[in-house]
Amino acid sequence: MDLPEFFCYVSILSCLFPIMVNSIGINYGQIANNLPSPEDVVPLVKSIGATKIKLYDADPRVLKAFANTDVEFMVGLGNEYLDKMRDPTNAQAWVKENIQPHLPATKITSIFVGNEVLTLNDTSLSDCLLPAMQSVHAALLNFGLDKQVTVTTTHSLAILQTSYPPSAGAFREDLMDPLCETLNFHQKTGSPFLINAYPYFAYKGNPEQVPLDFVLFQPNQGVTDPQTHLHYDNMLYAQIDAVYSALASLGYKKLLVHISETGWPSKGDEDEAGATPENAEKYNGNLIKLMSGKTGTPMRPNSDLNIYIFALFNENMKPGPTSERNYGLFKPDGTPAYPLGITPNNVVGRNTTVGGGRFGNAVTNPYYPMSSSTGYMSISSARQQRYQLLGHVVRMVPLLIIKTLV
């Protein structure tokens, strides 16, 4: 399929994707040597109804390509920049070079400083986190951009000490000091609290006891929180509400919570249970349908779901197990990695139809800015390690509750 045919195909697909009530966010990673040009990614993003992108760096090619598209961007500053960004002069220079030139044409709404820093057990990074966030915010303030661009950071779900029942959600005691510092920053600046949540890892770690239907948003009997009597029929919502409870217990009930990453791999190694196209289709397809409605979680039914699916593309140069290279909704040529199983007939009732297109030979050379190639790669590969080391944290449904589900 040549490029004109591709754009015609994407135009047809776009008619099948109504605008989301809770708009779709997507993680756009670039650890690959075969991805299409950012210009060719624009119609693909629009075809799936995505209106928000999380970018792991401030790639000027991407930000320029999405100018005047009204797609919102969250851009990243990698962990390797934290020490440098403690210096307000460096932060000022970075914002001037990477953010200011793209506004207002490109709708940059947030900068996340560091990836899952607090659960890396590296004090050289965690000690730099808040000062770096403060310096970047001060730079935005100096440029008069602080009202339109917020500053935040991402957290692993492993920051939770207690996760079930959701109403008893609590943060780890050993992380309380640096965590409260960042929470105070969020409260003062109005920036969102970002959490990366992967029910996949709970299933992978215990496939014999974690009910697959519960993690894939499939029909199941679910569980009831014994304290609130709220009913949960999927693990992701239980995870989100555990975070809400943990925040409320510290006095931060009104903080905005965004799920900055969640997804399911379509392929994995032999020991990666559940990493199949069928399961990825169910997880992401069902999640997109849930996001298309006006419902929040059981604890916050009237709150919008701000969720970023991981990821847009399979990325062939990411380190780690096979699953790390197979989280994409799409292959590098723009074809779906798997069908999401949502047909045009589902559009009635504000559900969505998901498809894909072909880019032909529209492939560019890889682009590896430091904030992506180092920080993003290390965090992605560390994702497996953190769930192995902190398995008690990510078992969102304890054995007693699991038995009630099976």
Side-chain angles (χ1 to χ4, degrees):
M1 182 182 296
D2 59 26
L3 206 55
E5 291 176 315
F6 162 70
F7 282 112
C8 180
Y9 182 57
V10 169
S11 296
I12 295 173
L13 285 174
S14 298
C15 296
L16 303 177
F17 293 91
I19 299 298
M20 300 294 102
V21 173
N22 290 301
S23 57
I24 296 174
I26 192 79
N27 282 269
Y28 182 2
Q30 299 183 80
I31 308 300
N33 62 4
N34 57 356
L35 297 182
S37 69
E39 291 77 13
D40 291 330
V41 173
V42 174
L44 184 62
V45 167
K46 288 188 172 184
S47 77
I48 61 172
T51 61
K52 298 179 291 186
I53 289 177
K54 178 165 162 272
L55 193 63
Y56 290 86
D57 48 45
D59 184 344
R61 302 176 312 148
V62 174
L63 296 177
K64 182 178 179 181
F66 278 86
N68 303 309
T69 62
D70 210 34
V71 173
E72 295 183 6
F73 268 84
M74 183 189 303
V75 301
L77 255 171
N79 293 347
E80 70 279 14
Y81 280 98
L82 293 182
D83 183 55
K84 185 178 181 180
M85 288 301 117
R86 296 177 68 172
D87 184 339
T89 302
N90 291 334
Q92 183 95 356
W94 186 86
V95 169
K96 182 177 182 180
E97 180 180 354
N98 295 279
I99 303 299
Q100 190 180 34
H102 300 287
L103 295 170
T106 302
K107 201 171 182 180
I108 300 172
T109 60
S110 185
I111 300 168
F112 68 97
V113 179
N115 289 286
E116 302 183 345
V117 172
L118 296 187
T119 47
L120 291 179
N121 299 318
D122 185 343
T123 56
S124 67
L125 289 177
S126 58
D127 289 347
C128 294
L129 180 59
L130 181 63
M133 294 171 68
Q134 291 172 327
S135 291
V136 173
H137 176 71
L140 291 169
L141 183 64
N142 291 340
F143 286 114
L145 301 175
D146 57 301
K147 301 301 182 184
Q148 61 188 101
V149 183
T150 61
V151 177
T152 183
T153 188
T154 67
H155 298 284
S156 157
L157 200 66
I159 61 172
L160 291 179
Q161 180 67 42
T162 304
S163 56
Y164 190 86
S167 60
F171 293 117
R172 285 167 48 184
E173 288 294 334
D174 62 313
L175 300 179
M176 202 60 72
D177 288 344
L179 183 60
C180 285
E181 290 178 345
T182 62
L183 293 177
N184 286 333
F185 176 87
H186 291 313
Q187 188 175 60
K188 290 177 181 178
T189 64
S191 59
F193 182 80
L194 304 184
I195 193 82
N196 297 337
Y198 286 88
Y200 164 70
F201 288 104
Y203 178 77
K204 175 194 169 186
N206 201 352
E208 298 300 321
Q209 294 184 319
V210 176
L212 187 59
D213 286 343
F214 187 66
V215 294
L216 294 180
F217 309 98
Q218 294 288 96
N220 68 92
Q221 70 182 67
V223 296
T224 298
D225 187 312
Q227 302 301 319
T228 62
H229 303 293
L230 294 174
H231 186 75
Y232 293 86
D233 59 11
N234 70 79
M235 184 177 287
L236 181 64
Y237 280 14
Q239 292 176 336
I240 296 173
D241 278 355
V243 173
Y244 281 135
S245 294
L247 290 170
S249 70
L250 296 179
Y252 297 97
K253 186 176 182 180
K254 294 183 179 181
L255 278 190
L256 294 174
V257 174
H258 293 185
I259 307 306
S260 43
E261 286 185 20
T262 191
W264 196 283
S266 59
K267 185 178 180 181
D269 297 320
E270 289 185 6
D271 62 345
E272 295 188 286
T276 67
E278 294 77 18
N279 288 340
E281 171 188 338
K282 290 176 182 177
Y283 185 85
N284 288 318
N286 286 335
L287 177 58
I288 289 173
K289 285 191 282 188
L290 283 175
M291 290 168 64
S292 72
K294 285 188 175 181
T295 58
T297 65
M299 192 174 290
R300 300 285 181 87
N302 297 319
S303 296
D304 286 343
L305 290 175
N306 292 288
I307 298 177
Y308 291 77
I309 295 173
F310 189 88
L312 185 58
F313 293 110
N314 287 337
E315 298 171 67
N316 68 344
M317 295 184 69
K318 289 184 67 177
T322 297
S323 62
E324 285 293 326
R325 294 175 288 281
N326 290 277
Y327 272 89
L329 297 183
F330 295 97
K331 300 175 184 178
D333 67 354
T335 58
Y338 46 84
L340 287 184
I342 308 172
T343 66
N345 292 332
N346 296 137
V347 173
V348 177
R350 301 195 70 82
N351 287 334
T352 60
T353 304
V354 178
R358 292 183 181 273
F359 288 98
N361 296 318
V363 175
T364 61
N365 292 326
Y367 173 78
Y368 301 130
M370 282 296 293
S371 61
S372 173
S373 62
T374 304
Y376 169 42
M377 288 177 69
S378 63
I379 292 301
S380 299
S381 60
R383 190 160 56 216
Q384 295 284 350
Q385 299 172 13
R386 75 165 186 256
Y387 283 98
Q388 293 167 2
L389 294 172
L390 298 162
H392 68 287
V393 174
V394 293
R395 277 202 299 269
M396 301 305 295
V397 184
L399 183 58
L400 177 63
I401 302 302
I402 290 171
K403 288 180 177 178
T404 69
L405 287 165
V406 295

